[in-house]
Amino acid sequence: MTKISCVINEQPYQFEIDPRLSLLELLRENGFTSVKESCGVGECGSCTVLVDNIPTDTCIQLAVWADGKTIRTAEGEHKNGVLSSIQQAYVDKGAVQCGFCTPGLIMTSTAIIEKYSGQMLSREKIRRELAGNLCRCTGYEKVIDAVQAALAKTMESPAK
């Protein structure tokens, strides 16, 4: 067993884990069920979280690598019952169908919004930024609409 410490959604955690445990398994076993297992080989993005603000496929990350890191999951993005700007944009634009891949898409979109705050990206650029997330339902157009809407809001009031 190995001890690790990390911050998940702004709360400190300590775990004693099997060093073979994936970050996906650690998060799900501890109630972060927005993190979905799909392909299991890091190709679909359904398990994406932000690790030190970098979109990360948790299915191919060992939990021990999270020691000392800051992790953000989709359930931690809303504050006091208010959705984040990208979560609200997904709702407003109807960018959710079955919803299985949505948490991973939300986290990758969050990274895009933070990286390009105050800028407007082309649909092609957003497509490239979302390339690590696969969805079998939406066709991506509404997801891209949501990212553009959230980016437009950052032009009104840039993120810190």
Side-chain angles (χ1 to χ4, degrees), residues 15 20 36-37 42 59 75 78 82 99 102 109 120 122 135 138 142-143:
F15 302 102
R20 298 170 294 177
K36 307 292 188 206
E37 182 171 13
C59 67
E75 55 262 274
H78 65 87
V82 177
T102 302
S109 297
M120 185 50 69
S122 69
C135 175
T138 69
K142 292 180 179 180
V143 170

Side-chain angles (χ1 to χ4, degrees), residues 2-3 5 65 67 72 74-75 79 89 97 104 107 109 123-124 132 140 142 147 152:
T2 302
K3 290 183 180 181
S5 299
W65 296 341
D67 188 36
R72 293 166 54 192
E75 55 262 274
K79 305 290 185 229
Q97 289 203 357
M107 297 315 296
S109 297
R123 296 181 76 77
E124 184 57 34
Y140 306 100
K142 292 180 179 180
V147 172

Side-chain angles (χ1 to χ4, degrees), residues 1-6 13-27 29-30 61-67:
M1 299 301 267
T2 302
K3 290 183 180 181
I4 67 166
S5 299
C6 57
Y13 285 87
Q14 292 185 337
F15 302 102
E16 189 166 317
I17 59 171
D18 181 325
R20 298 170 294 177
L21 189 71
S22 73
L23 182 54
L24 170 81
E25 293 167 318
L26 175 72
L27 292 170
E29 288 173 6
N30 286 282
Q61 293 288 310
L62 291 174
V64 295
W65 296 341
D67 188 36

